[in-house]
Amino acid sequence: MSGDGGRDPLDGVDPELLAWHWGALANDPAVCRTPQPGRDGFPCIQSKAYHFEHQDVMGRTWPLREERLYVAAPRLTAGPDGTVTVQTSDHGPVTMTCPSWCIGHVDILMSRADLGHESAETLLRVPVPGGQVALMTAVFEQRPFTTRPPGTGVFLNLEIDGQFYPLNRGEADEVADALLTAVVDLRVLARRLARHTAEETKR
């Protein structure tokens, strides 16, 4: 792979990201390696363990085309001291202190950078004729060893229509404000519907 003028486009790329890139090209089963539309040779280098969106070694992203994959594997939960030890592919056994909201860790081999804490899901539903539908799913997450966004702090991972959006406190408030605005708009439409219905019955 060479860029304009013969310069290798991978010059200067972080060695950790390069390792994931070569793993994707070598069909490493731990790497997503989903092809990138319009860019042959630059597949997704994210771990199969989790995804917010596909991302290549250059940092370019593209949306997931399917819902998040949850691996059906046993979960490791924290012991009485609040810690759990997980085997990793690059650092051997790693011991972590779990926050109170962590529901445990999937017992599959992954790199240390991909270890993370997750909370139980919160489904945000609305009633529709015939039942209820989930508008979005929210879960607290933390990736204590990652070098990639959204960083090592706690964040809210919001799933909307199969896409995942990691949010900090301010961003979560912005989404909430937008939802409140949408509620007002929907309420106005409901009042207009009432007027249209009343006009229809007078004819």
Side-chain angles (χ1 to χ4, degrees):
M1 293 176 291
S2 62
D4 294 339
R7 180 181 179 276
D8 187 342
L10 300 179
D11 283 348
V13 174
D14 181 89
E16 181 184 348
L17 296 180
L18 276 178
W20 281 93
H21 174 69
W22 297 124
L25 296 181
N27 294 324
D28 184 334
V31 186
C32 173
R33 65 184 189 275
T34 296
Q36 182 176 178
R39 288 194 174 98
D40 292 338
F42 285 92
C44 177
I45 64 168
Q46 299 278 36
S47 167
K48 277 188 176 179
Y50 74 98
H51 275 73
F52 305 129
E53 57 189 351
H54 293 307
Q55 179 175 320
D56 73 3
V57 68
M58 307 304 292
R60 294 172 295 219
T61 60
W62 65 101
L64 301 178
R65 300 300 182 189
E66 57 188 25
E67 292 198 5
R68 189 176 184 180
L69 175 64
Y70 289 90
V71 181
R75 280 193 174 269
L76 304 173
T77 55
D81 62 352
T83 66
V84 63
T85 299
V86 181
Q87 291 291 334
T88 66
S89 59
D90 53 355
H91 286 78
V94 173
T95 299
M96 299 182 293
T97 299
C98 294
S100 59
W101 44 263
C102 180
I103 60 172
H105 300 266
V106 178
D107 190 14
I108 60 174
L109 194 65
M110 63 181 71
S111 71
R112 186 179 68 172
D114 290 323
L115 295 180
H117 306 290
E118 294 185 3
S119 72
E121 293 181 341
T122 298
L123 296 179
L124 306 178
R125 300 185 177 95
V126 294
V128 295
Q132 291 188 334
V133 295
L135 285 182
M136 57 190 72
T137 303
V139 60
F140 291 116
E141 295 192 27
Q142 184 179 21
R143 308 288 174 186
F145 303 105
T146 188
T147 58
R148 301 190 294 271
T152 60
V154 181
F155 61 94
L156 186 69
N157 202 6
L158 192 66
E159 180 270 328
I160 304 174
D161 195 25
Q163 305 299 317
F164 290 83
Y165 304 93
L167 307 175
N168 60 31
R169 165 66 188 276
E171 292 166 338
D173 279 337
E174 288 180 7
V175 172
D177 290 342
L179 288 173
L180 289 173
T181 300
V183 167
V184 173
D185 292 342
L186 184 58
R187 185 74 71 184
V188 170
L189 291 174
R191 296 296 179 264
R192 289 176 59 186
L193 176 61
R195 291 199 301 271
H196 295 333
T197 301
E199 292 169 358
E200 184 71 21
T201 58
K202 292 178 181 178
R203 293 178 184 175

